[in-house]
Amino acid sequence: MTPDRRALATVALACLLLTGIAACSEPEATDPAVSSRGPAAAPAPSGTALSEADRTEALAQASSGLEAVLSHDYAAYDDVLDEAAPFLSPRLASELEQLHEKTDQQVRKSRTSTEFTVVDKAVITGAGDTIKLLVFGNQVRRPKGQNPRLEAVTLFVTMTETNDEWLIEDLEGDGPVTDPDPDPERAEVADAASEFATAFNNIDHRTMDTDTEKVTELSTGRFRETYTEGLPSLKKLLRANRSVMQAEVTAAAVKDLSGDRATVLVATTGTVTNRTARKPVDRTQRLLVSLVNEDSAWLVDDLTYVS
């Protein structure tokens, strides 16, 4: 995607998340004054390794910024820009100001308020003045006079350091983000979690013995015991329903790493087919994977679905 197209996609995504208006069209290209701020596409991380303080600050800024920019009261829509601006790069702040002008009447007419909450977050990769984050969030839409609607949202967020402050530079709703972490150990942990999530979410009733064996090879401890004990029932169910699960990992982000233990956030997207769903049904998953290092190999000992 070119820089200009990515800028438009970023604002179109923000428009949809912020307003809930599916008809949000991609905005026109910015004027020269805005464009002179630099390309919309954030560069791949390069330069010096990140400190733990950088990671912590970027994650905190992203949480506050996303909750500010993706939440609003339709009756006080003007407040969004003031609340979000301190967390946004100059380019993105300018783009969202144009978005606000374009959608103001639609938002007020829809009489729908939204509340975005960050559920979990972690650093995918980063170096120098650029960090890429994986963020799992929940957004509640409250149309006036109707029941609220909850939506799970997965975001890929690029942060850039400007004047010693981490600001949101880019916001995407799809992956994959494949840039490895410059830290070799974090990259190894992320790769192990990705390999496991790929095996766990790709099972075909025609090759289920090989497929499930891969899962057990990549796991250990209580998870492996529980998974192995449940295999007879799982295989029976797969065979009876002629189930086929296919998925790819769109991002893996190390949340914690200490000694021989680690936790990783993993986002996947894929499809499921079976007797009742002969056409592929889309399926996305948000996983929290716990790993332990045994004999120099990172193995999964627990798995949680992030709701």
Side-chain angles (χ1 to χ4, degrees), residues 253-304:
V254 177
K255 181 180 179 181
D256 296 301
L257 174 58
S258 178
D260 62 357
R261 298 204 62 85
T263 54
V264 182
L265 298 183
V266 181
T268 72
T269 182
T271 60
V272 177
T273 57
N274 52 44
R275 287 186 182 276
T276 58
R278 297 185 181 275
K279 293 183 179 181
V281 176
D282 291 337
R283 183 181 67 160
T284 59
Q285 291 190 335
R286 310 189 301 181
L287 309 175
L288 176 63
V289 181
S290 174
L291 303 97
V292 60
N293 192 304
E294 294 183 355
D295 299 325
S296 300
W298 287 98
L299 301 174
V300 172
D301 67 349
D302 197 10
L303 172 69
T304 304

Side-chain angles (χ1 to χ4, degrees), residues 80 97 162 202 241:
V80 172
E97 184 176 1
T162 304
N202 284 272
N241 288 282

